[in-house]
Amino acid sequence: MDRRKFFRLLGAGGVLGLLKARAQTPPWDEETFAPMKTLGAPLSEYGQRSPFEEGVVRYISPNLRTRHSGADFAPLEKLEGVITPNGLHFERHHGGVPQVDPAKYRLVIHGMVERPLVFTLEDLKRFPSVTRTYFIECAGNGQNGYRNPPDPNLTATRSRGLASNASWTGVPLALLLKEAGVKPGAKWLIPEGMDAAAYTRSLPLEKAMEDVLVAYAQNGEALRPEQGYPVRLVVPGWEGSIQVKWLRRILVTDLPAMAKDETSEYTDVMADGKVLAFTWVMDPESIITYPSGLQQIKPGFHEIRGLAWSGYGRVTKVEISFDEGKTWRQATLEPPVERYAFVRFKMPWHWDGKEVVLWSRAWDEKGNTQPTREEFFKKWGRNNRYHYNAIQAWRILPDGRVVNGDRPLGQQAFGPVGGCDGEVFDG
């Protein structure tokens, strides 16, 4: 269906008709609209969400050996907009969450500097601050995509929920480094956390001087403990593993640390057997959150919705396919479209009740896009665990159930699969 036909339908109430076509009026009576007959809850010092929303929580795998080292997933398909609430931002820890007293907090910058410095939290807050919206994504996001055959019960949360998007406030790291005076020959920073693992990574000085934040606030309030309270690094576009939480010191040096978590971990195995280190930048990603895995839909009008992001900058377009990549239609991007941040995409669609497989792929300002599953494994090793960004497929069955639409590698068909089912309202 073309744009003009869609708007003619809209003007004539056609979309409402599509919405109502298969709707059933839910039962109601006078009590449904009756006013409350008792006083509601009183004022409170800190707002809580409705008890009816208590099911919207992060997903924690029941297979974890310990909850002190591991990750939980943001419930992407249950969220709206692009900002991840603080209590639902994904977590990744290597030694549990430390409790840090802000009054005793200190950040040390030392090594190849003219003036070694020690900052309190209040010192950091006296510097000129900036607020920026950035996604943070675990390098292991999408790890379920390495399974073959694919997990039929995959959800959007378990597919791409190790990514979240927030408004971060802090001090540009470049300001602190200029205050300390970086000596000639320095090329690397070695940030270290206050957790039990003394988590350590190597950060190139060039990136630090560009856009890295020493952040102390998230979405308008102090960082949550699981997000690095009171201070963490935010490194736009790069994998979450380098964005050290509970930041306590930064060593300025001429060589990388070659720490455990950048040698035995967070390195990438390629299809030819080579292993790459320091592969920080996150490739473009997209995920359809509605309709998505384990959801149930009915024939009629739907708005396809999802999220896209890229570590190379701004997402420029998202395309959706209804025939497993033979043809593509461009989705609408909802403003604002910011660099290194989530953007929401959407497309109006009428499902006619036939089986169909939905794909989405994001494109960024550098011309990068997402590969198919087969294309991805021509480059990356099957025994790798990181940087999976292949297209996530959702298969809608005739009874309305939505399941993982990824095919086992080398398999050409599920059985009968519909083409561009129903009508797509091009926006």
Side-chain angles (χ1 to χ4, degrees):
M1 177 177 289
D2 61 27
R3 188 186 182 103
R4 291 180 180 175
K5 188 175 179 182
F6 170 66
F7 282 110
R8 284 199 302 272
L9 264 176
L10 183 64
V15 172
L16 291 177
L18 291 173
L19 289 169
K20 294 176 180 177
R22 296 181 181 259
Q24 305 228 343
T25 304
W28 63 278
D29 54 30
E30 292 183 8
E31 288 298 316
T32 304
F33 301 102
M36 289 185 66
K37 297 178 181 179
T38 58
L39 285 174
L43 299 172
S44 61
E45 288 79 9
Y46 193 86
Q48 304 293 324
R49 61 183 179 175
S50 166
F52 297 102
E53 299 297 322
E54 289 179 352
V56 182
V57 295
R58 293 182 286 224
Y59 171 80
I60 301 176
S61 171
N63 299 321
L64 286 177
R65 290 190 294 268
T66 172
R67 289 194 175 192
H68 289 90
S69 179
D72 58 29
F73 297 70
L76 298 184
E77 71 271 21
K78 297 179 181 179
L79 301 179
E80 306 293 341
V82 295
I83 296 297
T84 310
N86 290 351
L88 296 174
H89 193 290
F90 87 92
E91 298 179 78
R92 172 69 171 106
H93 312 312
H94 295 80
V97 178
Q99 293 297 320
V100 182
D101 183 345
K104 297 178 180 179
Y105 174 77
R106 301 293 184 271
L107 170 62
V108 177
I109 297 180
H110 65 129
M112 295 179 66
V113 294
E114 300 292 342
R115 297 170 295 278
L117 297 174
V118 180
F119 299 98
T120 66
L121 180 59
E122 291 307 310
D123 290 336
L124 294 175
K125 290 184 176 181
R126 290 178 60 194
F127 279 86
S129 65
V130 297
T131 298
R132 298 286 185 271
T133 300
Y134 294 132
F135 75 84
I136 294 180
E137 180 178 15
C138 179
N141 198 25
Q143 201 170 106
N144 277 300
Y146 284 98
R147 295 187 180 188
N148 196 51
D151 179 358
N153 296 316
L154 193 67
T155 62
T157 291
R158 292 178 54 233
S159 173
R160 293 299 194 278
L162 292 181
S164 296
N165 193 60
S167 174
W168 306 98
T169 300
V171 184
L173 179 52
L175 280 182
L176 304 182
L177 293 173
K178 289 175 183 177
E179 190 79 5
V182 176
K183 290 183 177 180
K187 295 182 179 179
W188 292 86
L189 307 181
I190 315 298
E192 181 183 81
M194 299 178 72
D195 56 333
Y199 186 76
T200 302
R201 286 298 301 266
S202 301
L203 175 67
L205 177 62
E206 182 179 6
K207 176 66 172 177
M209 298 301 289
E210 181 181 326
D211 55 11
V212 175
L213 285 183
V214 175
Y216 47 76
Q218 175 183 359
N219 294 335
E221 65 177 3
L223 297 172
R224 295 289 175 94
E226 66 268 27
Q227 296 307 324
Y229 181 87
V231 173
R232 69 170 297 161
L233 287 183
V234 175
V235 185
W238 287 25
E239 64 185 33
S241 65
I242 203 168
Q243 308 191 39
V244 176
K245 298 184 285 188
W246 315 290
L247 183 66
R248 68 176 174 186
R249 71 175 178 132
I250 298 174
L251 173 66
V252 182
T253 183
D254 58 345
L255 293 170
M258 304 306 291
K260 173 184 73 70
D261 288 297
E262 54 196 16
T263 51
S264 65
E265 301 288 340
Y266 300 107
T267 51
D268 291 293
V269 182
M270 312 307 288
D272 61 5
K274 293 180 180 178
V275 178
L276 302 182
F278 301 141
T279 51
W280 302 292
V281 182
M282 301 306 293
D283 290 311
E285 295 256 24
S286 70
I287 182 75
I288 294 173
T289 56
Y290 179 84
S292 62
L294 300 190
Q295 293 177 347
Q296 181 90 31
I297 68 171
K298 296 179 180 179
F301 177 84
H302 298 272
E303 183 178 66
I304 298 172
R305 305 185 191 111
L307 295 165
W309 61 95
S310 174
Y312 287 94
R314 189 175 284 105
V315 171
T316 54
K317 67 178 177 180
V318 174
E319 297 174 308
I320 295 175
S321 176
F322 299 84
D323 53 16
E324 297 186 272
K326 296 181 180 68
T327 61
W328 294 91
R329 296 173 183 263
Q330 190 164 330
T332 299
L333 301 184
E334 188 170 87
V337 182
E338 300 180 271
R339 302 187 80 222
Y340 312 125
F342 280 6
V343 61
R344 186 162 286 279
F345 63 88
K346 53 191 178 180
M347 177 182 288
W349 171 58
H350 182 263
W351 182 46
D352 62 8
K354 296 178 182 177
E355 183 171 308
V356 66
V357 176
L358 305 184
W359 286 11
S360 68
R361 67 180 179 189
W363 294 79
D364 65 32
E365 59 187 343
K366 301 293 185 183
N368 303 301
T369 191
Q370 295 175 256
T372 64
R373 186 170 159 82
E374 299 281 349
E375 291 168 343
F376 180 87
F377 285 112
K378 290 178 180 178
K379 176 182 177 182
W380 301 86
R382 288 290 315 285
N383 57 337
N384 192 36
R385 292 190 293 158
Y386 306 112
H387 290 267
Y388 184 86
N389 77 317
I391 290 167
Q392 173 64 59
W394 299 122
R395 185 183 183 195
I396 302 175
L397 302 176
D399 62 4
R401 288 181 297 131
V402 187
V403 298
N404 188 356
D406 288 344
R407 299 180 185 278
L409 293 172
Q411 181 173 309
Q412 298 301 312
F414 296 111
V417 177
C420 185
D421 64 308
E423 295 179 294
V424 177
F425 304 111
D426 289 322

